[in-house]
Amino acid sequence: MGSFPVLETERLRLRETRANDLDDLYHVYSDPEVTRYYNLDALTNLEQARQIIRRRQEALGRGHIRWALCLKEDDRYIGSCGLPFSLEYWRVAELGYELGREHWGKGLMTEAVRAVCHYAFETLGMQRLEAQVMPGNGASIRVLEKCGFRCEGLLRGRGFWNERSHDLLMFGLLRDDLG
Ligand SMILES: CC(C)(COP(=O)(O)OP(=O)(O)OC[C@H]1O[C@@H](n2cnc3c(N)ncnc32)[C@H](O)[C@@H]1OP(=O)(O)O)[C@@H](O)C(=O)NCCC(=O)NCCS
C-alpha cells in the first residue's frame, strides 16, 4: 500500500496513528469502560500504548488498516476504527472500533463506521464485512444495526481472553445489502 488512505466525514478525520498521539491513545485505552468488551486489558503504562502505535504502523505494511479517529476541529486522537483482520482471499474483512468515553452517544462511531464500510467496499473491493460483538455490548450492536449490519447468530465460545471463553454475536454486511 502507498500512502495512508485519509478519510473525512462531516465531523471526523480518519488518518494514520502518529507517535505524538501517544498520550491521547493511552487516555482512551486506559479506561476500563472502553476495554470492557474487548480482548484487551486496560493499559497501565505508556509503553503499552507505544507498542500499539508501533503494531499499527507495522500492520499497515501487511494491508491491515486501522484509522485514528480525530475531530476535524483539533485533529486530536479520540478513538480508532479499522479492518485489523481480513480474509482477503475471500474478500471478507473484520471491523473493530473504540472511542474515548467522553465522546460516546453523539453518533461519531456510526459516522466513522459508515465511511470505513464505504471505503472497504468501493476501494478495497471487499464483498463482506464482519464484526463480532459481546451480547451485552448494546451500544456497539446499535452502531452496527444503524450501519445496516445484520445479526447472523451467536458463535459459542468464539473468543478467549482473561482465561475464559466468550460467546460472540456475528454481524455481517454484504456489499449487495447496500444496493
Ligand atoms: C461502541 C462505541 C464505539 C459506540 O460509539 P458511539 O459514538 O457512542 O456510537 P453512536 O453514538 O454512533 O451510536 C450509539 C447507539 O447506541 C445506543 N446505545 C448506547 N448505549 C446503549 C446500550 N447500553 N444498549 C443499547 N443501545 C445503546 C445509543 O443510544 C445510540 O443509538 P441511537 O442513535 O439509536 O440513539 C463506544 O460505546 C465504545 O467505544 N465502546 C467501547 C469499545 C467497544 O465496545 N468497541 C466495540 C467492540 S465490538
Side-chain angles (χ1 to χ4, degrees):
M1 174 171 296
S3 59
F4 191 91
V6 176
L7 307 179
E8 296 215 338
T9 68
E10 191 189 336
R11 291 172 290 173
L12 295 169
R13 178 168 300 111
L14 284 67
R15 60 160 173 77
E16 76 282 15
T17 308
R18 300 172 185 152
N20 64 3
D21 292 323
L22 184 70
D23 292 336
D24 291 328
L25 183 142
Y26 178 73
H27 170 73
V28 174
Y29 280 114
S30 58
D31 180 349
E33 280 300 305
V34 171
T35 57
R36 185 168 162 204
Y37 296 111
Y38 247 38
N39 56 348
L40 176 77
D41 289 329
L43 303 191
T44 53
N45 64 68
L46 280 176
E47 184 47 35
Q48 295 165 320
R50 215 169 267 123
Q51 279 173 22
I52 290 179
I53 295 177
R54 208 173 302 133
R55 277 203 302 270
R56 281 190 194 167
Q57 288 164 347
E58 289 165 5
L60 185 62
R62 300 192 297 273
H64 297 173
I65 311 171
R66 187 131 198 144
W67 285 271
L69 308 187
C70 308
L71 289 175
K72 277 183 181 169
E73 62 205 37
D74 59 10
D75 204 41
R76 280 184 69 170
Y77 184 102
I78 59 166
S80 79
C81 181
L83 306 163
F85 312 104
S86 56
L87 295 165
E88 285 165 50
Y89 181 73
W90 285 349
R91 298 196 171 222
V92 173
E94 185 179 332
L95 200 67
Y97 45 80
E98 77 294 309
L99 192 64
R101 205 191 325 174
E102 59 275 40
H103 300 284
W104 290 2
K106 300 175 189 165
L108 287 171
M109 193 52 80
T110 303
E111 206 172 298
V113 168
R114 284 196 177 121
V116 166
C117 290
H118 186 265
Y119 180 84
F121 289 133
E122 298 306 322
T123 304
L124 298 180
M126 293 293 157
Q127 294 299 318
R128 172 181 164 88
L129 299 178
E130 298 180 345
Q132 296 178 31
V133 187
M134 288 182 76
N137 194 350
S140 182
I141 290 170
R142 186 75 194 116
V143 167
L144 294 168
E145 287 172 349
K146 286 194 287 181
C147 293
F149 282 75
R150 293 191 209 164
C151 184
E152 299 175 334
L154 184 72
L155 306 179
R156 294 177 306 137
R158 178 65 177 82
F160 186 87
W161 63 88
N162 292 341
E163 300 306 312
R164 66 182 192 93
S165 295
H166 300 271
D167 295 343
L168 291 170
L169 291 168
M170 169 62 88
F171 281 81
L173 178 69
L174 303 187
R175 184 191 175 99
D176 293 345
D177 290 339
L178 297 179

